[in-house]
Amino acid sequence: MKELVIISGKGGSGKTTVSASFASLAKNSVISDCDVDAPNMHILMKPEKTLTHDFHSGLLAEIDQDKCTSCGLCYEYCRFDAIDKSTDKSGKTIYRIDELKCEGCSLCDYVCQANAIKLSTPKRGVWMESDTKYGPMIHALLDAGGENSGKLVSLVKSKARVKARDDNADVLLVDGPPGVGCPVIASISGADLLLVVTEPTQSGKHDMERVIHLADSFKMRVAVCINKWDINPEVSAEIDRVAKENGAMSVGRIRYDRSVPRILSEGKIIVEQDGEVSSDIKQVWRDVSRTLKS
Amino acid sequence: MKIAFPTAGDNLNSVIEGVFGRAKSFLIFDTETKEIKIIDNTANLSAAHGVGIKSAETVSKAGIDVMVCMNCGPKAQDVLESADVKIIVTDESTISKAIEKHNLNKV
Amino acid sequence: MLIAIASGKGGTGKTTVACNLARIAKTPVTLLDCDVEEPNDAFFIGGDLIDQTDVSIETPSVNDQLCTKCGVCSDFCKYNAIITLPKKVIVYDEMCHSCGGWIVCPHDAITTNPKKLGEISIFRNGETTLVQGQLKIGNVMSPQLISSVKKHISVNGLNIIDAPPGNTCPAIEAVDGVDYVVLVTEPTPFGLHDLKLSVALLERRALRFGVMINRSDIGDDGVEKFCDAKGIPILARIPNDMRIARAYSMGDTVVQSIPEYADLFRQLMSRIEGNA
């Protein structure tokens, strides 16, 4: 079983569009959407028979107002600006924890003299196992404002790996998140090949470099594919050059086609349509799967 | 020699857990006494970050000499090495197969 | 005035909008690039680098002489950043959230060291000041760097925050406390799905916001219908124009080169001022 992770550095480069096409082309695969903050694969994969599980993580502090003596120590010590201070009608100072800012470090509990801090492990989102036309899919969704440590991503990946092993899948396809933070680190961990989908812009080039730098620190094999390359052939050439300088291999280019967003809007997968963009993606898949097997 | 294996099982035929830091427990096999000890690791699994590091800390405290695992992140490796634990990376799926493959049954 | 340009989905055009607004603004503008994992505004604003500083967070440093390997610090740390072994204590800076937990040491054996989180670079181009945060690769604490970037919010003129994509900690840190948020989206099922998540978040944070639809003629009417049903103002629609795509790919703004877009962005700015 080989694991392919598709990332971009820059958001909106076309990761999910490419991942969905790969899911359609790959025989015997398991699919996993690791963009748990803003997942989009399900829109094209159309999952069914979904089993949903709650995801709990970290700690959340809460101040028990009955026990609180308003000493203000928690407010003084909290380094995440997660304690709000206000005054009530009687003039008493009220301290309240901002749920979205609390990092769960529990320092407030440590300094509190009145035992007024309650710590709990809140639900942060859900993870799901579904069936799709293209194979089993493991995906997730974080609640708005949920901490995005990468833990949910790691969970999705480990469930997907187990599924792939149990089903004797040939490929585990992972649609990754944008950026270079924890969720991306969690999504690339253990991959056999990283595919960076980028766009022919200065921003795309810059973000690709940062994501290759991240991949280097994990000693991963990196391949680069330029989406909508003909919007700017000069920058595309620059990107190929930079990719090569950074030890990444180019696995082809996908041309710009105005009709792509409309096809996606209809919930259709590009490689299942006719046309040149479809052929371009199929060629990239051929290169990628060959590299994956080697 | 005390050898540790990340696993959810409790005997030498148990499957070695693929992701070191997410192991539910560690099975410690003493090659001299042939005794088996299980160290529970579930307390560490709920962490958002650094499960590998914490798991390495927990198992190192048990005084092991060798850790056999399928992969081990750089930080977890660092912790084990700092505790003078030798790391053996294996492809074998079960503990007994790994012991045989890597000739670990010697005192 | 302080506004933020945000989006659940990446690649919808936040930076395009933020930079073009900065260019047509009449007052002095401070543009704050809070997409610290992948900052891009500098390509579009240019100008001279007038300042660059490192931003650090405090991380623990253990005094071996005083340390008894009691392990209280390791038991307390929620991020597994400090590990106690029989013979030594190891600190993993990259895991550290700088929570201040080092005070739990019963032997006063822990002091702190600054650890570089990232950099803030300040560029000036005419009346536009760009404050850019860039996170050092491998670091986890985006929100703290974003908070440092926001310390450069000016009391004069217009402040525009270019927020990171998504709806979790970094995005929340970027948009908190602003007068108005412009949510940039695209008229596709991907855009709509992520827009709904962003709307839920902004409602929870009690922030005022409106929606801008980019590449408005490429997809479907899902986003329009959603905004209509929820009474969310649509502040502007930018059509899918290859000229914009090309300008963006070169790192250029369109308001200088194409007069009709100068008008469009001026109108967007008026609508933001009107709705804020």
Side-chain angles (χ1 to χ4, degrees):
Chain A
M1 195 266 288
K2 298 286 185 180
E3 189 176 311
L4 171 68
V5 179
I6 300 158
I7 51 175
S8 61
K10 187 173 187 325
S13 302
K15 263 183 317 323
T16 300
T17 306
V18 170
S19 300
S21 279
F22 282 7
S24 175
L25 293 168
K27 306 196 178 5
N28 195 17
S29 63
V30 167
I31 300 143
S32 136
D33 189 347
C34 285
D35 186 356
V36 302
D37 185 343
N40 285 154
M41 274 293 259
H42 62 285
I43 296 170
L44 296 174
M45 298 284 96
K46 302 185 176 60
E48 292 175 343
K49 304 206 190 101
T50 301
L51 290 173
T52 304
H53 312 267
D54 284 346
F55 169 70
H56 296 260
S57 175
L59 287 177
L60 180 63
E62 195 189 332
I63 296 175
D64 184 340
Q65 299 296 340
D66 293 330
K67 292 189 177 154
C68 177
T69 60
S70 300
C71 72
L73 274 176
C74 57
Y75 180 76
E76 200 189 308
Y77 275 87
C78 177
R79 292 164 68 91
F80 303 111
D81 216 14
I83 304 194
D84 292 330
K85 180 178 170 179
S86 60
T87 322
D88 74 3
K89 286 179 219 137
S90 69
K92 179 178 177 211
T93 312
I94 304 286
Y95 294 98
R96 207 166 272 123
I97 295 193
D98 182 335
E99 267 184 34
L100 293 189
K101 289 202 162 152
C102 176
E103 294 262 336
C105 73
S106 80
L107 195 63
C108 50
D109 178 47
Y110 179 79
V111 301
C112 179
Q113 304 296 306
N115 209 12
I117 305 278
K118 288 188 286 199
L119 294 163
S120 62
T121 296
K123 177 179 167 215
R124 304 286 191 180
V126 293
W127 69 274
M128 299 161 275
E129 328 174 56
S130 304
D131 289 342
T132 76
K133 206 168 121 188
Y134 311 100
M137 179 161 129
I138 313 284
H139 47 137
L141 179 63
L142 272 177
D143 294 338
E147 56 97 78
N148 200 359
S149 59
K151 185 181 173 193
L152 182 55
V153 172
S154 296
L155 179 63
V156 167
K157 283 254 285 192
S158 71
K159 296 290 179 192
R161 277 202 190 108
V162 168
K163 188 78 183 142
R165 253 199 324 241
D166 289 346
D167 284 7
N168 261 315
D170 291 325
V171 180
L172 170 54
L173 270 174
V174 179
D175 184 20
V180 290
C182 295
V184 178
I185 295 171
S187 73
I188 68 180
S189 163
D192 291 299
L193 180 65
L194 280 186
L195 173 65
V196 181
V197 175
T198 188
E199 55 174 49
T201 63
Q202 294 300 331
S203 319
K205 185 180 90 168
H206 174 256
D207 297 355
M208 175 194 73
E209 283 175 276
R210 278 172 68 79
V211 96
I212 291 179
H213 182 173
L214 180 69
D216 276 347
S217 58
F218 289 87
K219 306 204 175 24
M220 308 220 94
R221 269 200 309 175
V222 181
V224 172
C225 157
I226 309 176
N227 192 16
K228 302 179 258 181
W229 74 271
D230 46 342
I231 290 180
N232 197 319
E234 296 86 32
V235 177
S236 289
E238 259 179 72
I239 288 178
D240 276 339
R241 188 182 46 81
V242 169
K244 195 167 167 196
E245 276 167 14
N246 283 283
M249 66 192 102
S250 287
V251 285
R253 298 169 163 195
I254 301 167
R255 74 195 69 195
Y256 174 72
D257 187 328
R258 224 195 122 91
S259 65
V260 166
R262 197 150 313 158
I263 295 171
L264 296 174
S265 280
E266 292 165 7
K268 296 188 180 143
I269 293 180
I270 308 296
V271 288
E272 292 175 4
Q273 319 304 312
D274 294 323
E276 291 168 321
V277 186
S278 180
S279 309
D280 287 348
I281 299 179
K282 285 176 181 156
Q283 182 58 50
V284 175
W285 171 247
R286 276 194 285 271
D287 284 346
V288 165
S289 39
R290 192 177 45 227
T291 308
L292 199 51
K293 286 180 187 123
S294 66
Chain B
M1 196 170 53
K2 292 201 175 112
I3 312 174
F5 303 82
T7 180
D10 61 5
N11 62 72
L12 295 181
N13 290 319
S14 299
V15 170
I16 298 178
E17 166 62 56
V19 181
F20 170 82
R22 298 278 169 196
K24 294 200 174 76
S25 53
F26 290 95
L27 183 147
I28 301 182
F29 177 60
D30 190 324
T31 58
E32 283 178 62
T33 65
K34 309 291 184 216
E35 267 171 17
I36 290 175
K37 187 167 151 193
I38 307 289
I39 306 249
D40 185 45
N41 197 40
T42 50
N44 293 330
L45 300 183
S46 59
H49 301 274
V51 271
I53 294 175
K54 201 68 178 173
S55 299
E57 184 194 42
T58 298
V59 76
S60 299
K61 284 187 169 144
I64 58 171
D65 303 294
V66 179
M67 165 66 69
V68 177
C69 55
M70 298 183 112
N71 71 59
C72 184
K75 295 198 187 78
Q77 257 181 54
D78 189 48
V79 174
L80 291 171
E81 281 163 8
S82 300
D84 297 323
V85 174
K86 180 174 169 188
I87 301 168
I88 293 178
V89 176
T90 188
D91 268 338
E92 300 299 324
S93 54
T94 66
I95 296 176
S96 50
K97 283 186 186 150
I99 290 176
E100 200 187 307
K101 171 82 180 281
H102 301 278
N103 287 321
L104 298 172
N105 224 331
K106 341 177 258 205
V107 169
Chain C
M1 182 157 93
L2 174 60
I3 67 175
I5 316 297
S7 172
K9 188 183 183 330
T12 50
K14 282 179 296 314
T15 296
T16 303
V17 172
C19 293
N20 279 284
L21 283 176
R23 287 289 202 167
I24 51 101
K26 292 197 188 70
T27 59
V29 177
T30 305
L31 179 59
L32 302 118
D33 194 345
C34 290
D35 187 357
V36 301
E37 286 179 31
E38 304 278 22
N40 286 316
D41 294 0
F43 290 116
F44 303 92
I45 299 300
D48 300 315
L49 178 67
I50 59 172
D51 191 43
Q52 190 164 70
T53 43
D54 284 351
V55 175
S56 301
I57 52 170
E58 298 300 313
T59 61
S61 172
V62 178
N63 182 331
D64 234 11
Q65 319 291 5
L66 299 173
C67 174
T68 64
K69 316 293 178 287
C70 65
V72 165
C73 56
S74 298
D75 289 338
F76 181 81
C77 179
K78 304 294 180 290
Y79 314 103
N80 297 326
I82 188 164
I83 297 293
T84 304
L85 297 172
K87 292 199 201 122
K88 62 203 270 213
V89 174
I90 313 177
V91 174
Y92 288 103
D93 280 344
E94 322 84 277
M95 315 298 295
C96 178
H97 281 47
S98 196
C99 72
W102 44 79
I103 63 171
V104 309
C105 176
H107 307 284
D108 278 329
I110 309 181
T111 50
T112 64
N113 272 336
K115 175 183 142 79
K116 183 171 166 179
L117 182 59
E119 287 163 355
I120 291 184
S121 307
I122 304 184
F123 300 86
R124 186 152 297 137
N125 189 345
E127 292 267 286
T128 308
T129 304
L130 168 65
V131 182
Q132 169 187 280
Q134 180 156 285
L135 190 71
K136 189 168 170 218
I137 298 276
N139 267 308
V140 313
M141 300 305 293
S142 300
Q144 283 179 355
L145 182 56
I146 292 171
S147 168
S148 297
V149 172
K150 284 173 78 170
K151 291 197 170 85
H152 294 267
I153 289 171
S154 171
V155 291
N156 298 316
L158 173 65
N159 292 280
I160 303 175
I161 289 177
D162 188 1
N167 297 301
T168 57
C169 332
I172 295 168
E173 185 64 49
V175 304
D176 258 357
V178 307
D179 298 316
Y180 198 75
V181 180
V182 177
L183 279 177
V184 183
T185 188
E186 56 175 50
T188 65
F190 295 175
L192 176 60
H193 177 268
D194 299 350
L195 177 67
K196 286 177 178 170
L197 298 175
S198 299
V199 166
L201 177 67
L202 295 185
E203 285 172 345
R204 194 169 162 192
R205 294 314 269 176
L207 289 165
R208 296 181 58 75
F209 63 94
V211 164
M212 206 222 76
I213 307 180
N214 198 4
R215 295 183 290 162
S216 54
D217 49 350
I218 54 161
D220 58 50
D221 61 359
V223 167
E224 296 259 3
K225 287 198 172 121
F226 170 72
C227 290
D228 206 30
K230 294 235 354 162
I232 299 171
I234 295 180
L235 306 165
R237 296 167 182 78
I238 302 181
N240 188 40
D241 187 336
M242 187 54 82
R243 293 176 296 173
I244 303 181
R246 262 208 79 94
Y248 179 85
S249 75
M250 297 306 298
D252 293 333
T253 51
V254 287
V255 290
Q256 257 94 15
S257 44
I258 310 174
E260 73 215 60
Y261 286 117
D263 285 338
L264 188 149
F265 279 98
R266 268 187 221 114
Q267 276 167 35
L268 171 58
M269 195 64 235
S270 307
R271 290 218 61 196
I272 293 170
E273 281 161 352
N275 278 288

